[in-house]
Structures are given as C-alpha cells and as structure tokens.
Amino acid sequence: MIIQDFKICNPQDKKYTEPSGESIPIASIPNHSWVNAGCTLMSVALVLQHSVAQDAPGAAAAGAGGYDLRTPIGAHHRRVACEVPTPDTNGNIVPQLRWYTMLETGLNYQENGIWLPSEAQVVPCPEGAAAIKGQQKITFAHNIAQRGAIRITGSEGTIIKNNPVGLYFHDRRSGDSVRLATIRPTVGVIIPPNQVLYRDAFEGLRADLLYTYQKDQFEADVILRERPREPETFGMSSGTTDVEMLTEFLDSPEPSKHRTQYRQLGLKEGGETNSMEEIANDDIAFAEIQFKVGQAFSEKERRNTQSATPVRKTWETLGQRSVLREQLEFDAVRTAFAALPRNELPRATIVQAGIDLPVTHGVEPHAVQVMQLGELAQEDGFVIDYTTLSGSMGSFTFQASETYFVTNTFMVNGSSSCTFNSGAVIKFADTAEFLVAGNPAVSGAGATFTSMHDNSVGLPIAGSNGQPTQKAFTAFWFYYIDNSRSLSNHTIKYAGTAVKASANAGSGVQHAVQSMTLLNCGTGLSSHRNDSGTQFLINASQIGTCEVTNLVGGITNQTVLSAHNTCPTITLTSSTTTHEDVPLDLHFTVSDDTSPAASLVVEGDGEAESPWVPLAWTPELLGVAASSNTMRFIPALDSSGTGKWRVSATDTNGLTRVLHFDATVESVNDASTIGAMSAPRLALGLQQV
C-alpha cells in the first residue's frame, strides 16, 4: 500500500525517509508528488512516482483527443494526496488518504522521459541567457541586434527564431507609414529570476525590450519610455493610424493562421465618423507554439487586465521577409501615451506606400557571451506585448466529486471541449485564473468555483487558511473564443471577477451566462471588446448574487442582464448589550426581492442550562416590504461576557445572507462573574460561532 512507501518528514529537513530507514535529499528524487498531511503546512511527505502510479486514483479516462488525467503527473497536472480526518465504522476519527488534482498550464516538463516540475527561471549560458526548465525553452542572444536573437523551442521540438525590427505609425486609410524607431545593438541583462532586459534598445525613440519566462507562457514586451509625436505631425490622422511593432521571423516554419476580417466605423477626411473600414486579425500558431492575444497597458497596471487594450496581430510577408505585425489604434492609447515624456528627436520620413523594413545585417555572435545580472528600473512606461503559450490541450473534463486546484493560469484551448460534471469543485490560488480559448464547446452544470481557502466544499488544499477572500483574478474567462458559447448552473465564490468575456472588435460573439449563483465576488460579470458600438458580449439571465461588490464591470454596455436575484438583507436595529439577568430583545429587519416570498426559520433547543434561552422568535414572510422580527434572550443567572453570533435568511432561490454580530451581557452584581457565554445549539439560522 502507498502508506508503506513513505514517512512524514518536516519540510525544513528537505529529506525523504525510505521504509528501510535510508534518508535521501528530496531534490535528488525525480517525479515526486507532494503529499500534505492533514492538508495543512504542518508536515509534508514525499511519494515516489511508482507508488503514486500504482495506488493513486486518477480521474476518469480521457475521451478521444482529451487531456489524460489517469497518470499521477503530466504536462499540466499533478495529483496531490492529503490526509482527511474521517470517522470509521466505530465512530473513531482516522486519517483517510484523499487526492486532488493540481492544474496549471505548463506545470511540468519532460527531460529524458521523466516529468519534472517547471521553473520560471532564466540563467546565463554561453550564447547569452536561457530558460530551459519548462515546456518552452528560450535562448536569448547576448546582443538583441543579432539575427535570430530570440530562439523558442516548443514542447514537441518546433523551433522558431525571431528578432525585433522596429516601431511604426501606419495609416490604415492611406497606407502610409512612418518608421519611428529601429533596433540598435544592445547587450541584455538577466533580471532574476525569470526576465531578460535589453535597456534602451531602439534608435529614434527611447524604449526597452523586456522578456518574461513563465511556466505557462513566454511574454515579449516593448516598453515605451517616451511617447512618439502625434500622427498629425507626419501628415496622418490619429483616427486612422495604428501604432505597430514589427518582429521578423527567420529560419522558421510557416505558421497556421486563422484570419478574422471585420468592419468598423472609421474616419473620413476631416474626421467625419461615417465611413466603414476593413480590419484584420490573425490567430497564429507554429504547431504547438501558439500566440495568445497580445495586450497593451500602462506599466503601473501590468496585472489589471480590465484596463488593457487588445493588440491585433497579422502575419505577413514583406519583401520576402516573414513579419509579425502587432497593431493597436493610436486613439485607444492616446491617454496612456500622454503620461509619458515627449520624444523630441528630429521628424521621421514618411513612406508613401506600405511598410519600409530596414536593411539588417545583424551583430556577429562571439564564441562566449554570458549575460550578466541587472536590475529593472522603476520608471513609467507603456507596454505592447506578444505572448506564446506553453503547450496545447485537447478536451478537458472536470469530473464529479473531484477537487481541482488551479495554482496560476490554466487554459483549455483548441477546438475540442470543456466539460463540467455536477459536483466538481475547482479551487483557485489567490492569483490564479481559468481561461477557455480558441473554439472549444463548453457544457455541463453543477460545478463550484471557489477559493483555495474555502474549506466548506471539496477537499481542503495545502496552505488553506480557512478564511476565503475575493482573491482569484478570474474564475471563468471566455478568452477570445471564435463562436458564441454558454455557461450555466454553476456556483462561483470568492473571485475577484466571476465571469469575464473578451473578444476582438467586430467579432459578433455573444456568450450566454444563465442560472448562475455568484457569492462574495468583487465583480460579477465583466466584458471587454475593443468596440465603439453597443453590441453586448455577455447575455446574462437568472443570475443570483450575494455580497458581489460590482455586478457588472469592464465595458458595461457589452453586458445585458435580465432576471437578476439578490439574497435577502438583514438589519439588526436594536442594541446588542444587556445587564446580568435582564432579557435582551434583538430586533431584525429582513427584506428580499424573491417572488414568491420565503419564510425565515430559526430554531433553538431551549436547554435550561444554556446561558442564552430564545423565548420568542416571530418569523414573518419575506417580501419587498421590510418585516420586523424579534428574538428574545434571557441570560443565565450570574453570567456575563460577549458571544459572537450569526443569523441567516434564505430565499426560495437558495440565496442566503448571513449577519454576524456580538451580543454582550455586562456584569452588574459580581465583578468576578464567569466570562464568555456558552451557546445553545440552533438547528438552522441563528448560531453562536
């Protein structure tokens, strides 16, 4: 049995004790899975992969083309065991070994056929720097002006090489362009643990290149440290001009691309807004290396995806050179640009037709050019990025009665399916998010999305403090999906944003969000599409909410909401303090928007020895008009102190509001009266906590 294959050890020991008694350093053992005793951080054990493979229950078999969770460890998952106190047939509490599934895109990588944990780390190497402990492996040239300075190797061996070319203005109406800045020879530095910076890497405009390596993705950022002059300086119109970053790809296979063409309201000569113009955006992939939708944002708001501007991209051949063009409308970033210092270099030259690529010969590499360490300056900037994902995934099914733990970003992408079986529990680390991208079908009902610190449902997660808050970035994100999808009959709790949808401008996608329950979330529904129109992106109905700070976020005219129900409200309208031996009447006002109305039921056991004895509780029907309710307590003789209590009300839709309060008995006759009250047991609504 698996219990015989490991012994509990203290995390500080960093050693695993074999059944034979031999002590082995943890770091030397490949393919380990962490087991958390009692699902707390008090002690940790190590389970070797052969033991886990033999005894760990896997998820159900994957369907055709589906991601396989039957193994204890894979590209995007790891099975984790914990001991859960469970009563046996004799009523004794004994530890029972249970398993949950850790999920993160790019969680592990293979080396010599063995799965190892991925690490977001960049280290020096003879060519400059490299990131090799992940599904994507990146090599950074010592000098960014070297041809093919950035080399990306995918999990299946696909290799692409690229180097940045320059920044441009491009007028969509006239076809004219201005080369604002070009790459110049710049030596990079490693910003520990996982970044490479080429500082002031452009000639003509002050801007940096920052590359960030994560387990789930590789991000390339152009950071403008000063703003270019307005397009009108060059005879262009701000309303029809794009800011573009061009990257050339060398000795790379031809990517697959799916182009979306759409029309949007444009500008005529003189600024009139009644003409239509054609806009294009490409979804690009080099086999397993997929390009995620880029974003543009102020450096100060790096993690605030609500304020980011989507970056269009197209793959084109310009003069027999393969180029990735990243484009965003100048008007969309004009305000952000205004916060940067103005570029005062001499005016660039207008090119009347198309994009003028500079002639590049590249810097010759030296034999050994190990990159040194550096620091990232704390300076305002504006970021334009592209991102490649670590690996791809087929269909994915969240199984009934299974607990899943999303540790960072987890994405189901492609053209297959994402299925939720009733009873599945998906828990999130404080900065995690779950994305569905590409074109997968979304189906199923009855899953619960919640914080890793919520121990009321599913298995407790290692590191849970039992006090959930609104931390997870996004519980469910429709991420630039090509076709309209629906999400229905799930519960989402303790999310920063419960449901979000993003789409390219003019895509026509409309997602249905129906019969959802959203509890204790920062934002309920958030939509973002780079549109000036009023077409909605989320069509929501029958949404039940309780303690949701902002029901609708993002661009509010892109979310339409009907049949919204809220949980009851409870207000305590009386004093919660009395004296010894003096009854205390607590008055509550309860209201609700549910129709038909529901009743509030509270029962006490009335045991004589209880310090508090509920004498009269008059529940009334909940309705639109407030109803008054009174609960009388009689303190036990000669008792005083303060107790923490809660009263709850549940409506016909199952939405529950809980009010927490303190009730105090002040000592009058005897200063040494015993302290805190003991509580009566209450069957439903009113409980001491």
Side-chain angles (χ1 to χ4, degrees):
M1 294 295 294
I2 192 168
I3 296 296
Q4 299 173 342
D5 285 340
F6 69 85
K7 293 184 179 180
I8 301 297
C9 64
N10 190 294
Q12 284 75 25
D13 292 342
K14 296 184 179 179
K15 291 184 177 180
Y16 161 72
T17 304
E18 288 274 16
S20 63
E22 180 184 1
S23 185
I24 302 174
I26 288 174
S28 67
I29 305 176
N31 285 347
H32 59 273
S33 291
W34 288 101
V35 179
N36 206 70
C39 293
T40 70
L41 291 179
M42 295 176 60
S43 58
V44 176
L46 194 67
V47 180
L48 296 184
Q49 180 168 340
H50 71 84
S51 299
V52 180
Q54 179 180 349
D55 298 298
Y67 183 76
D68 193 351
L69 285 173
R70 291 172 297 179
T71 59
I73 186 172
H76 311 293
H77 82 281
R78 181 184 294 269
R79 297 282 282 170
V80 179
C82 65
E83 291 179 349
V84 179
T86 307
D88 63 13
T89 54
N90 298 319
N92 300 316
I93 302 299
V94 296
Q96 182 182 23
L97 198 65
R98 300 286 299 278
W99 300 81
Y100 62 83
T101 302
M102 183 185 298
L103 297 175
E104 181 179 341
T105 300
L107 182 62
N108 306 294
Y109 74 102
Q110 276 193 320
E111 187 172 296
N112 299 322
I114 298 175
W115 286 110
L116 299 173
S118 298
E119 295 183 32
Q121 183 182 42
V122 175
V123 296
C125 74
E127 294 86 356
I132 58 174
K133 294 187 176 182
Q135 292 186 30
Q136 291 188 102
K137 304 185 189 306
I138 317 295
T139 302
F140 308 87
H142 183 257
N143 195 313
I144 193 61
Q146 180 179 322
R147 287 180 63 78
I150 307 300
R151 186 175 73 234
I152 305 173
T153 303
S155 58
E156 298 175 14
T158 300
I159 297 176
I160 58 176
K161 301 177 185 178
N162 70 69
N163 49 262
V165 174
L167 286 159
Y168 290 77
F169 275 158
H170 178 250
D171 191 319
R172 300 185 302 275
R173 174 174 49 81
S174 67
D176 293 348
S177 65
V178 174
R179 190 194 308 163
L180 300 172
T182 54
I183 288 296
R184 66 180 179 186
T186 307
V187 172
V189 293
I190 297 172
I191 310 297
N194 63 331
Q195 294 181 307
V196 170
L197 172 67
Y198 298 93
R199 185 178 285 110
D200 200 9
F202 290 82
E203 190 74 49
L205 188 70
R206 195 162 70 87
D208 302 336
L209 283 166
L210 179 67
Y211 296 92
T212 303
Y213 183 79
Q214 302 283 7
K215 288 185 283 186
D216 63 314
Q217 61 188 24
F218 171 59
E219 182 178 335
D221 295 344
V222 178
I223 308 177
L224 302 182
R225 300 300 184 187
E226 59 185 13
R227 71 178 187 271
R229 298 183 182 187
E230 288 72 17
E232 282 72 15
T233 306
F234 310 107
M236 298 177 171
S237 169
S238 295
T240 58
T241 295
D242 289 336
V243 183
E244 294 199 10
M245 174 64 195
L246 269 61
T247 302
E248 183 177 4
F249 284 73
L250 308 163
D251 304 325
S252 302
E254 188 69 16
S256 61
K257 67 178 183 181
H258 172 70
R259 173 158 294 187
T260 302
Q261 294 275 166
Y262 59 93
R263 303 184 74 197
Q264 72 174 21
L265 197 63
L267 294 178
K268 281 186 174 181
E269 287 281 359
E272 297 178 18
T273 58
N274 60 357
S275 62
M276 300 298 292
E277 59 179 340
E278 294 288 337
I279 301 293
N281 181 73
D282 291 338
D283 293 327
I284 298 170
F286 293 86
E288 76 276 18
I289 304 174
Q290 302 180 54
F291 280 73
K292 187 179 173 183
V293 175
Q295 294 183 323
F297 45 86
S298 169
E299 183 79 281
K300 295 178 180 178
E301 300 176 333
R302 177 170 287 273
R303 290 304 308 221
N304 183 7
T305 56
Q306 298 290 355
S307 62
T309 300
V311 177
R312 304 191 315 273
K313 58 185 180 295
T314 57
W315 178 269
E316 298 181 17
T317 300
L318 302 176
Q320 298 184 337
R321 297 164 70 176
S322 297
V323 175
L324 174 68
R325 297 174 63 177
E326 300 171 82
Q327 307 149 336
L328 64 155
E329 297 176 24
F330 180 84
D331 273 350
V333 296
R334 181 195 293 270
T335 301
F337 275 9
L340 301 176
R342 177 171 173 165
N343 172 254
E344 299 295 346
L345 293 176
R347 172 175 167 170
T349 302
I350 295 265
V351 176
Q352 293 298 325
I355 297 290
D356 175 36
L357 293 180
V359 177
T360 57
H361 300 290
V363 174
E364 291 297 325
H366 297 288
V368 177
Q369 307 174 85
V370 175
M371 200 174 286
Q372 303 301 309
L373 302 184
E375 296 181 353
L376 188 62
Q378 299 300 313
E379 186 179 4
D380 288 346
F382 186 80
V383 179
I384 305 172
D385 80 1
Y386 76 75
T387 302
T388 64
L389 300 175
S390 295
S392 59
M393 185 179 301
S395 299
F396 193 93
T397 299
F398 292 92
Q399 299 291 342
S401 303
E402 288 281 334
T403 298
Y404 301 86
F405 176 36
V406 180
T407 55
N408 192 4
T409 297
F410 183 64
M411 176 182 287
V412 175
N413 56 347
S415 57
S416 44
S417 64
C418 177
T419 304
F420 300 94
N421 287 338
S422 180
V425 176
I426 301 104
K427 296 191 175 186
F428 294 85
D430 289 348
T431 57
E433 56 191 5
F434 171 60
L435 293 77
V436 175
N439 197 26
V442 179
S443 62
T448 298
F449 302 74
T450 189
S451 165
M452 66 173 286
H453 304 292
D454 181 6
N455 297 336
S456 67
V457 62
L459 292 177
I461 302 299
S464 169
N465 60 22
Q467 300 176 349
T469 55
Q470 300 170 2
K471 285 290 186 70
F473 280 149
T474 306
F476 190 97
W477 191 348
F478 291 105
Y479 190 79
Y480 297 92
I481 295 179
D482 295 339
N483 296 310
S484 300
R485 294 289 182 251
S486 64
L487 185 71
S488 60
N489 293 287
H490 302 294
T491 297
I492 299 178
K493 304 192 291 180
Y494 303 108
T497 298
V499 180
K500 180 159 60 176
S502 298
N504 292 310
S507 63
V509 171
Q510 298 177 359
H511 301 301
V513 180
Q514 302 168 332
S515 302
M516 299 284 291
T517 301
L518 312 180
L519 307 175
N520 297 94
C521 296
T523 298
L525 307 168
S526 180
S527 301
H528 188 86
R529 175 165 47 204
N530 195 16
D531 262 344
S532 58
T534 59
Q535 183 184 42
F536 59 83
L537 184 55
I538 290 180
N539 180 8
S541 61
Q542 298 295 334
I543 304 298
T545 63
C546 195
E547 304 293 350
V548 175
T549 307
N550 301 300
L551 179 57
V552 176
I555 302 176
T556 56
N557 66 6
Q558 292 181 355
T559 297
V560 61
L561 177 62
S562 59
H564 168 224
N565 302 311
T566 60
C567 59
T569 60
I570 309 173
T571 305
L572 180 58
T573 61
S574 61
S575 171
T576 58
T577 300
T578 187
H579 300 299
E580 283 185 33
D581 308 329
V582 177
L584 174 63
D585 287 339
L586 296 176
H587 302 282
F588 300 94
T589 299
V590 183
S591 63
D592 185 52
D593 59 4
T594 301
S595 179
S599 60
L600 180 68
V601 179
V602 179
E603 297 177 354
D605 60 11
E607 294 177 0
E609 63 271 25
S610 299
W612 292 100
V613 179
L615 285 187
W617 173 243
T618 309
E620 298 181 9
L621 290 181
L622 302 179
V624 175
S627 60
S628 296
N629 303 277
T630 301
M631 170 70 84
R632 169 166 288 186
F633 292 95
I634 298 179
L637 293 175
D638 298 327
S639 66
S640 65
T642 297
K644 293 185 179 296
W645 294 75
R646 67 184 180 187
V647 63
S648 61
T650 303
D651 67 14
T652 52
N653 290 318
L655 295 175
T656 299
R657 172 83 69 178
V658 179
L659 175 67
H660 297 266
F661 63 95
D662 293 347
T664 301
V665 179
E666 295 180 341
S667 176
V668 175
N669 301 322
D670 185 359
S672 61
T673 303
I674 59 173
M677 302 171 291
S678 61
R681 249 178 332 105
L682 299 179
L684 291 177
L686 188 62
Q687 305 172 33
Q688 189 176 20
V689 295

